[in-house]
Amino acid sequence: MYFNFMLLVGITFLTSSQPAVYADHENGTETEIPFLPTGIYPISATKTDIEKYSEKDQDTYFIVSKPIIALERFASVKIKKAEDGLYGLHVTLDETGKKELSDASTNAVGVKWAFIVNDYLWSVPTVYSPITEGTLVITGGDFSKKSLEAIESQIKKDMEELKNRD
């Protein structure tokens, strides 16, 4: 099962990094679907150009293309084990990201956000309270340490590529 999951994640990362085109056969038009870089994005209650399927909860979400927290604000990412024995992904933000996250989460209690990793909808966390410490923690019994390692590796790769572009 783990192999199948990793194969699926690998295929998803490979295919999602290519620009996608939506063909509207009724109107004879094509629309390029935006590539979403790693970050935290709002989920819209109405249809947007970006529709992502969550394998975890088997639901489809409409994503707003402007991130709440962009990859540029990620200072570090690492896997930590909680007291309950479950693993979680901890993303620490820079000072600007900390303020942006605090402001955004204060007005979003009870709202779901999309955690996108290299155009892949990895998680749909719910904001339960304002996040003022500047750390995002994505956790739950659904994530194995191996799956978190794959996501951590991709985020670190994205962060390195961003740093090399500057």
Side-chain angles (χ1 to χ4, degrees):
M1 171 127 157
Y2 167 73
F3 175 75
N4 289 338
F5 172 76
M6 292 311 296
L7 180 62
L8 179 60
V9 169
I11 290 170
T12 303
F13 283 139
L14 286 173
T15 58
S16 68
S17 64
Q18 304 302 316
V21 175
Y22 169 74
D24 184 349
H25 297 292
E26 291 179 18
N27 296 324
T29 61
E30 289 185 350
T31 305
E32 188 170 326
I33 300 170
F35 174 87
L36 293 180
T38 298
I40 306 296
Y41 292 81
I43 294 175
S44 176
T46 59
K47 187 172 173 63
T48 67
D49 287 344
I50 304 167
E51 187 176 337
K52 298 281 183 190
Y53 178 75
S54 170
E55 294 169 7
K56 182 179 173 191
D57 63 12
Q58 299 187 357
D59 206 351
T60 299
Y61 296 93
F62 298 111
I63 312 298
V64 177
S65 63
K66 183 179 181 213
I68 297 167
I69 303 296
L71 177 65
E72 292 84 5
R73 300 291 165 230
F74 287 27
S76 68
V77 59
K78 62 184 167 182
I79 299 169
K80 290 186 179 178
K81 188 174 184 179
E83 291 177 13
D84 61 5
L86 298 176
Y87 290 93
L89 188 69
H90 292 241
V91 178
T92 304
L93 305 174
D94 65 12
E95 284 302 314
T96 303
K98 179 179 177 180
K99 181 175 178 356
E100 290 173 352
L101 179 63
S102 179
D103 292 348
S105 63
T106 298
N107 299 316
V109 174
V111 173
K112 289 184 176 193
W113 287 345
F115 188 15
I116 303 289
V117 178
N118 198 24
D119 204 40
Y120 172 74
L121 177 58
W122 183 64
S123 180
V124 183
T126 301
V127 178
Y128 291 108
S129 62
I131 306 166
T132 58
E133 296 300 313
T135 303
L136 296 163
V137 180
I138 311 296
T139 187
D142 299 335
F143 305 117
S144 70
K145 186 176 181 185
K146 292 287 185 194
S147 67
L148 289 171
E149 287 170 347
I151 298 301
E152 176 191 36
S153 175
Q154 181 63 52
I155 294 172
K156 286 181 176 180
K157 179 181 172 192
D158 292 346
M159 290 171 68
E160 188 63 31
E161 287 176 6
L162 182 66
K163 190 166 101 177
N164 289 336
R165 276 188 265 166
D166 294 338

